């Protein structure tokens, strides 16, 4: 199974048959570019759709969640994880309902129906910014884990640095260069997401390994009385500490964003009426994973929890075979990110092409444009990952800008626009609440981050 990626615009809709995860359920063959042509495809199953949506949700955001517990405390932090899931469920329900009324088969078309070409372009821009930020985060994490990081003034050794000692070839720049040229570039050359179905399946298994090992270590140490009571509430003693509480909001928004994949999953279902329980099942599953990771990650490291919790797995954990588990946790998740990267990159490239060349022929049919755009985007991500200091800064930027638009503001705006007269009073109230909450919380987060 492969995570489908929506481009968010009409330009992408033109390439739907060649670029999407699976052929449309009503499509029995035709020129769809290979895989799936002639297949007797009758639509995606419930479990398959839950799998794909869950894969969309669980990404690099999970690494920053333990740090949000350090800022908020466990009780408010877990409560906000649940609240973010409920708001995501509500925003997706609005998006699906208004898309049905407009007959829109993509997020971009729904936005275009409400606000015209400018609205559609704005959404594409937001998806580009969001996906760029996410992939920069992926590269930062890969660099931190493999080559080390000096967060908080303390150097944390990377896996390769620990195995072979510090060398020129295993420094941050060298590691990211090797990863970009040896892994990302070849996988980014695939024109169809379906070509990545096997690497996607492996990436999900590797993410599960991280969660299971982290929980197992925490439970083992807790049973032996080696862990202190975690901080349940934030330490609020002055204005800066109050402002800092808001910095967690963008991280939670980034952790749950999946809206640009809802339409492809919906279009492939055997029974489109299942989309509501599919979304709720996926959100419930991901919330459980997030709560477990937040709780056990913060329980393990307490006040020493870093912005990227993977960087904490570089010292003696106080358990047998500590070094082995440290390396297993870090390597498994780094490999997971490497294999998810090209899928997210596929959506980025398609949206960027839609913004730059809205009237051009489909990207898959123009090898020169495809190659130049791929190389330019990979170079941009590579350079950003080398100059942005940590994942907290990257999450602050994407979460407080593009992500909050894609996840909450755009669905709420479509609801308030209500071109088809289907909005209820409750819908309008919810839309206003989401916009106000998103704007205020993220504006304060940006101000707090700049102030600090």
């Amino acid at each position: 199974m492969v995570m489908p990626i929506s481009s968010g615009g009409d330009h992408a809709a033109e390439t739907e048959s060649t670029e999407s995860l699976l052929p449309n359920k009503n499509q029995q063959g035709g020129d769809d570019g290979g895989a799936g042509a002639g297949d007797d495809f009758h639509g995606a199953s419930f479990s398959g759709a839950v799998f794909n949506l869950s894969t969309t949700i669980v990404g690099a955001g999970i690494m920053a969640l333990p740090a949000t517990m350090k800022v908020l405390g466990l009780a408010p932090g877990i409560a906000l994880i649940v609240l973010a899931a409920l708001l995501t469920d509500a925003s997706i329900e609005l998006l699906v309902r208004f898309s049905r009324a407009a007959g829109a088969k993509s997020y971009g078309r729904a936005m275009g129906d409400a606000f015209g070409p400018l609205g559609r372009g704005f959404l594409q821009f937001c998806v580009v910014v969001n996906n760029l930020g996410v992939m920069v985060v992926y590269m930062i994490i890969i660099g931190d884990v493999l080559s080390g990081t000096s967060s908080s003034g303390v150097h944390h050794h990377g896996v390769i640095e620990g195995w072979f000692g510090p060398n020129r070839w295993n420094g941050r720049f060298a590691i990211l260069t090797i990863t970009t040229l040896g892994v990302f570039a070849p996988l980014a050359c695939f024109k169809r997401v379906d070509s990545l179905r096997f690497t996607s399946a492996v990436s999900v298994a590797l993410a599960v390994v991280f969660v299971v090992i982290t929980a197992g270590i925490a439970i083992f140490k807790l049973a032996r009385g080696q862990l202190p009571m975690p901080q349940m509430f934030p330490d609020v003693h002055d204005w800066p500490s109050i402002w800092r509480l808001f910095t967690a909001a963008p991280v939670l928004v980034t952790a749950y964003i999946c809206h640009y994949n809802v339409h492809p999953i919906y279009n492939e279902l055997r029974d489109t009426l299942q989309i509501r329980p599919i979304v709720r099942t996926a959100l419930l599953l991901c919330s459980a994973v997030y709560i477990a990771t937040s709780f056990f990650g913060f329980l393990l490291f307490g006040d020493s929890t870093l912005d990227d919790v993977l960087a904490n797995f570089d010292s003696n954990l106080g358990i047998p075979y500590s070094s082995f588990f440290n390396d297993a946790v870090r390597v498994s998740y780094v490999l997971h990110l490497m294999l998810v990267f090209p899928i997210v990159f596929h959506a980025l490239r398609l949206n960027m092409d839609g913004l730059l060349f809205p009237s051009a022929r489909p990207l898959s049919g123009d090898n020169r444009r495809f190659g130049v755009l791929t190389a330019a985007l990979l170079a941009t991500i590579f350079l950003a990952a080398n100059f942005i200091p940590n994942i907290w800064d990257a999450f602050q930027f994407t979460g407080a800008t593009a992500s909050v638009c894609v996840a909450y503001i755009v669905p709420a705006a479509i609801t308030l626009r209500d071109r088809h007269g289907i909005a209820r009073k409750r819908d309008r109230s919810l839309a206003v609440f989401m916009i106000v909450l998103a704007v205020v919380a993220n504006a304060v987060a940006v101000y707090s981050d700049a102030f600090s």
Side-chain angles (χ1 to χ4, degrees):
M1 304 286 285
V2 179
M3 179 177 73
I5 296 290
S6 166
S7 70
D10 289 342
H11 178 72
E14 296 171 2
T15 63
E16 212 168 43
S17 62
T18 59
E19 304 279 3
S20 61
L21 167 66
L22 294 171
N24 186 277
K25 62 183 178 183
N26 296 321
Q27 180 182 329
Q28 304 297 325
D31 184 18
D32 69 347
D39 290 348
D40 188 21
F41 178 66
H42 297 291
S45 65
F46 182 95
S47 59
V50 170
F51 177 87
N52 284 325
L53 193 60
S54 299
T55 305
T56 308
I57 295 171
V58 177
I62 196 173
M63 295 297 99
L65 288 176
T68 66
M69 300 301 108
K70 183 173 69 172
V71 173
L72 298 172
L74 279 177
I78 292 176
L80 284 179
I81 289 176
V82 175
L83 175 61
L86 293 175
L87 287 176
T88 300
D89 176 58
S91 65
I92 291 176
E93 192 276 330
L94 292 174
L95 180 60
V96 170
R97 181 145 49 90
F98 282 84
S99 295
R100 282 174 176 162
K105 296 297 184 181
S106 71
Y107 195 175
R109 286 191 172 184
M111 185 61 169
D113 175 74
F115 294 99
L118 288 178
R120 185 177 66 244
F122 172 75
L123 177 65
Q124 287 181 315
F125 175 77
C126 288
V127 174
V128 166
V129 172
N130 175 77
N131 286 23
L132 269 174
V134 166
M135 285 182 287
V136 169
V137 166
Y138 287 1
M139 272 207 186
I140 292 173
I141 292 176
I142 291 168
D144 287 349
V145 172
L146 296 183
S147 66
T149 180
S150 298
S151 178
S152 303
V154 179
H155 183 68
H156 296 265
H157 294 286
V159 173
I160 296 179
E161 184 183 25
W163 290 346
F164 302 102
N167 293 287
R168 293 182 61 184
W169 64 269
N170 62 20
R172 185 184 192 85
F173 184 86
I175 287 293
L176 292 182
T177 300
I178 295 170
T179 302
T180 300
L181 297 179
V183 180
F184 296 154
L187 292 178
C189 289
F190 288 111
K191 293 184 178 181
R192 302 183 64 235
V193 176
D194 188 55
S195 302
L196 300 167
R197 60 191 180 277
F198 298 114
T199 58
S200 180
V202 173
S203 73
V204 174
L206 291 169
V208 172
V209 169
F210 164 78
V211 176
V212 170
I213 293 179
T214 302
I217 294 172
I219 292 172
F220 178 82
K221 295 188 69 174
L222 189 63
R224 296 179 63 178
Q226 294 179 307
L227 296 177
M229 177 65 67
Q231 178 182 327
M232 296 302 296
F233 295 94
D235 179 18
V236 178
H237 55 274
D238 54 19
W239 279 111
S241 64
I242 295 175
W243 290 121
R244 181 165 169 75
L245 297 178
F246 289 90
T247 62
V251 176
L252 294 175
V253 171
T254 304
Y256 274 110
I257 186 171
C258 62
H259 300 62
Y260 54 82
N261 273 345
V262 170
H263 286 86
I265 292 174
Y266 174 86
N267 294 335
E268 295 167 0
L269 288 175
R270 295 173 186 169
D271 179 6
T272 57
L273 295 178
Q274 289 185 320
I275 188 63
R276 187 71 169 149
I278 284 170
V279 170
R280 288 186 168 179
T281 303
L283 288 172
L284 181 63
L285 173 63
C286 294
S287 297
V289 171
Y290 283 168
I291 290 172
T293 302
S294 302
F295 177 79
F296 291 115
F298 183 49
L299 182 64
L300 264 179
F301 302 111
D303 291 336
S304 299
T305 304
L306 298 175
D307 296 341
D308 171 9
V309 74
L310 279 180
N312 283 109
F313 287 91
D314 72 334
S315 57
N316 191 336
L317 298 173
I319 62 173
Y321 307 105
S322 174
S323 178
F324 169 79
F325 285 113
N326 273 332
D327 290 349
V329 165
R330 295 190 288 173
V331 171
S332 65
Y333 207 80
V334 161
L335 292 176
H336 162 76
L337 294 181
M338 288 183 181
L339 297 179
V340 171
F341 183 99
I343 298 175
V344 181
F345 185 86
H346 179 88
L348 168 66
R349 179 173 52 206
L350 211 54
N351 276 277
M352 182 63 78
D353 185 66
L355 281 174
L356 298 178
F357 310 103
S359 302
R361 62 174 172 163
L363 181 62
S364 59
D366 190 331
N367 290 332
R368 177 177 296 180
R369 196 168 92 244
F370 181 91
V372 171
L373 192 57
T374 298
L377 289 172
L378 283 174
T380 300
I381 296 166
F382 172 81
L383 292 174
N386 276 280
F387 289 102
I388 294 177
N390 57 60
I391 67 170
W392 192 266
D393 291 335
F395 273 127
Q396 284 293 306
F397 176 72
T398 59
T401 54
S403 296
V404 74
C405 289
V406 173
Y408 300 125
I409 293 178
V410 170
I414 292 174
T415 301
L416 294 175
R417 180 73 168 172
D418 192 21
R419 288 193 66 251
H420 303 278
I422 62 171
R424 302 184 292 263
K425 183 177 180 181
R426 174 183 174 275
D427 298 331
R428 294 181 180 277
S429 299
L430 178 61
V432 171
F433 173 76
M434 286 195 298
I435 291 176
V436 171
L437 180 65
V439 171
V440 172
N442 285 277
V444 174
V446 171
Y447 172 81
S448 174
D449 193 53
F451 178 79
S452 61

